[in-house]
Amino acid sequence: MGLAYFEISGGKRLRGSVRVSGAKNAALPIMAASILCDGEVVLHDVPDVADVNFLAELLRKLGLDVERRPDRAMRLVVRDEMNCKAEYDIVRKMRASICVLGPLLAKRHRAQVALPGGCAIGDRPVDLHLRAMELLGADLELVGGDISAKAKQLVGTEMFLGGPFGSTVLGTANAMMAAVLAQGVTVIEMAACEPEVVDLANFLSACGANITGQGSPRLVIEGVKSLKGCEHRIIGDRIEAGTLMAAAAITNGELTLENCRLDHLMAYVDKLRAVGVQVERRDASTVQIASARRLEPVDVTTQPFPGMPTDLQAQIMALLCLADGNSIITEKVYPDRFMHVAELNRMGAHLRKEGPTVIVQGVKRLIGAPVMASDLRASAALVLAGLSARGVTRVSRVYHLDRGYERFEDKLRAVGAEIERKEED
Ligand code: EPU
């Protein structure tokens, strides 16, 4: 079987209603947190995406029964605690595998996790994850590219978890998952405030953990002896929602998004409104988007939550390609996350990269072309560009998109896009 690609005939206005899937980036650490639980965990609304399947495979190797149900529920139970090793084979496919480190160390007192290498969006070090484990009392050693960690009993402590680009999402998740079973109180300063971190804290609390401050930069965790299982619903995927908002805007369309919380997307929505897109809350989880004919340019700087998410930088760039004037986009989380720039230029965009900044000179239209996806969010930007372009766009390597979007082409087709998944010869 060849590699899949999308063929998109641009210029169709999107209209209708879409349900946003559960958040991949909330599901991953919560699945890993099941390692900590003595009882059964049932998660609802787990998206059917490649990254979730990679982690399920890793968790099975680590002795968990992971069962998927057709209604997007997932049941996880620890069966055997012997294996504590996350092999390079899986970690290299998915960096988020690093989030088994904290739970293994806290529950099984040892962990061996391959160090993830670089990836298409930059270096992505894990030094803060390792520092958090050391501060909690673990002994760490680098053995053949793996981090080998041991701790008879983790002990609560105060830690500052800021790096050169601010807070760390999975680093905070790892520290929190380790601290819930530590002896005494842990205070994490400069904790990530992302809704996915809050979802993890809520899950852990439902299992019996004692956590306060979630959603703020100061997390306080009082260790407990053990955690039970629980039933938990994963929050809606704010990045999928944001991508669909851009899809409505770039096609001059009108979409209603269900399972979408506006309070998870305020910085992005603020930018969309400045561009001229109408975004209105219908109720707590329903949002309506309609686009003005003329798009205004805006300047955008990515930041940790509640700032503008880096995971929507590529998508807003695709939209701003068609604005009436010049926009400046600055990446302050991953300064090298610009693989989509050259591909968008192949479609007639006028983008110029200067260090961590891209100057977007708006053009009247984009033109269909064969382009190549390089990472998850870059692929989404190319799909958006294809939806608006004149003619046919072929986006190859959509396996990048499949890592984080659940059957995205079906969702788009259901609201009027002309998009097909095909196999290369
Ligand atoms: N950083 C360090 N040291 C560390 C960890 C991070 O210097 O030990 C730096 C990173 O290099 C980066 C910044 O801190 O410059 C923030 O990275 P963070 O640790 O927050 O990223 P992450 O937790 O590895 C998650 C998401 C990413 C998303 C980022 C930022 C998951 C599974 N991944 O990664 O999602 O871009 O937070 O919001 O939750 C995606 O879904 O496409 C994706 C890449």
PDB file of all heavy atoms in Angstrom, residues 188 190-193 198 212-220:
ATOM      1  N   ILE A 188       4.867  23.299  42.348  1.00  0.00           N
ATOM      2  CA  ILE A 188       5.468  23.538  41.027  1.00  0.00           C
ATOM      3  C   ILE A 188       5.195  24.987  40.643  1.00  0.00           C
ATOM      4  O   ILE A 188       4.036  25.381  40.452  1.00  0.00           O
ATOM      5  CB  ILE A 188       4.885  22.589  39.948  1.00  0.00           C
ATOM      6  CG1 ILE A 188       5.021  21.123  40.385  1.00  0.00           C
ATOM      7  CG2 ILE A 188       5.553  22.820  38.596  1.00  0.00           C
ATOM      8  CD1 ILE A 188       4.356  20.120  39.438  1.00  0.00           C
ATOM      9  N   MET A 190       5.690  28.164  37.961  1.00  0.00           N
ATOM     10  CA  MET A 190       5.777  28.295  36.505  1.00  0.00           C
ATOM     11  C   MET A 190       5.235  27.029  35.832  1.00  0.00           C
ATOM     12  O   MET A 190       5.735  26.579  34.798  1.00  0.00           O
ATOM     13  CB  MET A 190       7.220  28.565  36.053  1.00  0.00           C
ATOM     14  CG  MET A 190       7.311  28.993  34.621  1.00  0.00           C
ATOM     15  SD  MET A 190       7.562  30.748  34.503  1.00  0.00           S
ATOM     16  CE  MET A 190       7.926  30.896  32.775  1.00  0.00           C
ATOM     17  N   ALA A 191       4.218  26.469  36.465  1.00  0.00           N
ATOM     18  CA  ALA A 191       3.551  25.305  35.871  1.00  0.00           C
ATOM     19  C   ALA A 191       2.821  25.743  34.610  1.00  0.00           C
ATOM     20  O   ALA A 191       2.378  26.894  34.513  1.00  0.00           O
ATOM     21  CB  ALA A 191       2.553  24.733  36.870  1.00  0.00           C
ATOM     22  N   ALA A 192       2.698  24.837  33.640  1.00  0.00           N
ATOM     23  CA  ALA A 192       1.919  25.145  32.437  1.00  0.00           C
ATOM     24  C   ALA A 192       0.445  25.252  32.820  1.00  0.00           C
ATOM     25  O   ALA A 192      -0.029  24.524  33.691  1.00  0.00           O
ATOM     26  CB  ALA A 192       2.124  24.038  31.405  1.00  0.00           C
ATOM     27  N   CYS A 193      -0.261  26.181  32.166  1.00  0.00           N
ATOM     28  CA  CYS A 193      -1.662  26.455  32.519  1.00  0.00           C
ATOM     29  C   CYS A 193      -2.623  25.921  31.451  1.00  0.00           C
ATOM     30  O   CYS A 193      -3.817  26.212  31.484  1.00  0.00           O
ATOM     31  CB  CYS A 193      -1.879  27.958  32.658  1.00  0.00           C
ATOM     32  SG  CYS A 193      -0.780  28.699  33.876  1.00  0.00           S
ATOM     33  N   VAL A 198      -4.915  21.025  32.992  1.00  0.00           N
ATOM     34  CA  VAL A 198      -6.044  21.077  33.934  1.00  0.00           C
ATOM     35  C   VAL A 198      -6.841  19.772  33.845  1.00  0.00           C
ATOM     36  O   VAL A 198      -7.246  19.200  34.863  1.00  0.00           O
ATOM     37  CB  VAL A 198      -6.962  22.288  33.612  1.00  0.00           C
ATOM     38  CG1 VAL A 198      -8.198  22.288  34.499  1.00  0.00           C
ATOM     39  CG2 VAL A 198      -6.178  23.593  33.766  1.00  0.00           C
ATOM     40  N   THR A 212      -4.141  21.244  43.979  1.00  0.00           N
ATOM     41  CA  THR A 212      -4.824  22.539  43.864  1.00  0.00           C
ATOM     42  C   THR A 212      -3.996  23.451  42.967  1.00  0.00           C
ATOM     43  O   THR A 212      -2.796  23.245  42.788  1.00  0.00           O
ATOM     44  CB  THR A 212      -5.012  23.236  45.234  1.00  0.00           C
ATOM     45  OG1 THR A 212      -3.735  23.272  45.889  1.00  0.00           O
ATOM     46  CG2 THR A 212      -6.009  22.513  46.109  1.00  0.00           C
ATOM     47  N   GLY A 213      -4.650  24.439  42.405  1.00  0.00           N
ATOM     48  CA  GLY A 213      -3.949  25.442  41.582  1.00  0.00           C
ATOM     49  C   GLY A 213      -3.929  25.122  40.105  1.00  0.00           C
ATOM     50  O   GLY A 213      -3.325  25.862  39.326  1.00  0.00           O
ATOM     51  N   GLN A 214      -4.583  24.040  39.677  1.00  0.00           N
ATOM     52  CA  GLN A 214      -4.540  23.717  38.254  1.00  0.00           C
ATOM     53  C   GLN A 214      -5.124  24.869  37.432  1.00  0.00           C
ATOM     54  O   GLN A 214      -6.131  25.447  37.809  1.00  0.00           O
ATOM     55  CB  GLN A 214      -5.255  22.391  37.920  1.00  0.00           C
ATOM     56  CG  GLN A 214      -6.659  22.234  38.408  1.00  0.00           C
ATOM     57  CD  GLN A 214      -6.690  21.538  39.750  1.00  0.00           C
ATOM     58  OE1 GLN A 214      -5.938  21.881  40.649  1.00  0.00           O
ATOM     59  NE2 GLN A 214      -7.570  20.566  39.883  1.00  0.00           N
ATOM     60  N   GLY A 215      -4.438  25.185  36.325  1.00  0.00           N
ATOM     61  CA  GLY A 215      -4.874  26.318  35.505  1.00  0.00           C
ATOM     62  C   GLY A 215      -4.154  27.596  35.904  1.00  0.00           C
ATOM     63  O   GLY A 215      -4.280  28.623  35.245  1.00  0.00           O
ATOM     64  N   SER A 216      -3.379  27.551  37.004  1.00  0.00           N
ATOM     65  CA  SER A 216      -2.569  28.703  37.406  1.00  0.00           C
ATOM     66  C   SER A 216      -1.099  28.285  37.353  1.00  0.00           C
ATOM     67  O   SER A 216      -0.801  27.095  37.277  1.00  0.00           O
ATOM     68  CB  SER A 216      -2.930  29.141  38.833  1.00  0.00           C
ATOM     69  OG  SER A 216      -2.240  28.336  39.770  1.00  0.00           O
ATOM     70  N   PRO A 217      -0.161  29.243  37.399  1.00  0.00           N
ATOM     71  CA  PRO A 217       1.257  28.857  37.316  1.00  0.00           C
ATOM     72  C   PRO A 217       1.807  28.236  38.594  1.00  0.00           C
ATOM     73  O   PRO A 217       2.994  27.917  38.664  1.00  0.00           O
ATOM     74  CB  PRO A 217       1.974  30.179  37.023  1.00  0.00           C
ATOM     75  CG  PRO A 217       0.933  31.223  36.934  1.00  0.00           C
ATOM     76  CD  PRO A 217      -0.371  30.679  37.370  1.00  0.00           C
ATOM     77  N   ARG A 218       0.963  28.080  39.640  1.00  0.00           N
ATOM     78  CA  ARG A 218       1.456  27.495  40.901  1.00  0.00           C
ATOM     79  C   ARG A 218       0.595  26.292  41.265  1.00  0.00           C
ATOM     80  O   ARG A 218      -0.555  26.441  41.703  1.00  0.00           O
ATOM     81  CB  ARG A 218       1.394  28.560  42.004  1.00  0.00           C
ATOM     82  CG  ARG A 218       1.968  28.126  43.298  1.00  0.00           C
ATOM     83  CD  ARG A 218       2.108  29.354  44.209  1.00  0.00           C
ATOM     84  NE  ARG A 218       3.115  29.113  45.211  1.00  0.00           N
ATOM     85  CZ  ARG A 218       2.829  28.713  46.448  1.00  0.00           C
ATOM     86  NH1 ARG A 218       1.582  28.517  46.813  1.00  0.00           N
ATOM     87  NH2 ARG A 218       3.808  28.520  47.312  1.00  0.00           N
ATOM     88  N   LEU A 219       1.163  25.123  41.073  1.00  0.00           N
ATOM     89  CA  LEU A 219       0.437  23.884  41.383  1.00  0.00           C
ATOM     90  C   LEU A 219       0.903  23.370  42.737  1.00  0.00           C
ATOM     91  O   LEU A 219       2.113  23.323  42.996  1.00  0.00           O
ATOM     92  CB  LEU A 219       0.802  22.814  40.353  1.00  0.00           C
ATOM     93  CG  LEU A 219      -0.003  22.711  39.062  1.00  0.00           C
ATOM     94  CD1 LEU A 219       0.668  21.724  38.127  1.00  0.00           C
ATOM     95  CD2 LEU A 219      -1.432  22.267  39.360  1.00  0.00           C
ATOM     96  N   VAL A 220      -0.030  22.976  43.563  1.00  0.00           N
ATOM     97  CA  VAL A 220       0.335  22.400  44.856  1.00  0.00           C
ATOM     98  C   VAL A 220      -0.239  20.983  44.929  1.00  0.00           C
ATOM     99  O   VAL A 220      -1.432  20.773  44.705  1.00  0.00           O
ATOM    100  CB  VAL A 220      -0.213  23.253  46.025  1.00  0.00           C
ATOM    101  CG1 VAL A 220       0.206  22.651  47.369  1.00  0.00           C
ATOM    102  CG2 VAL A 220       0.300  24.687  45.906  1.00  0.00           C
TER     103      VAL A 220
END
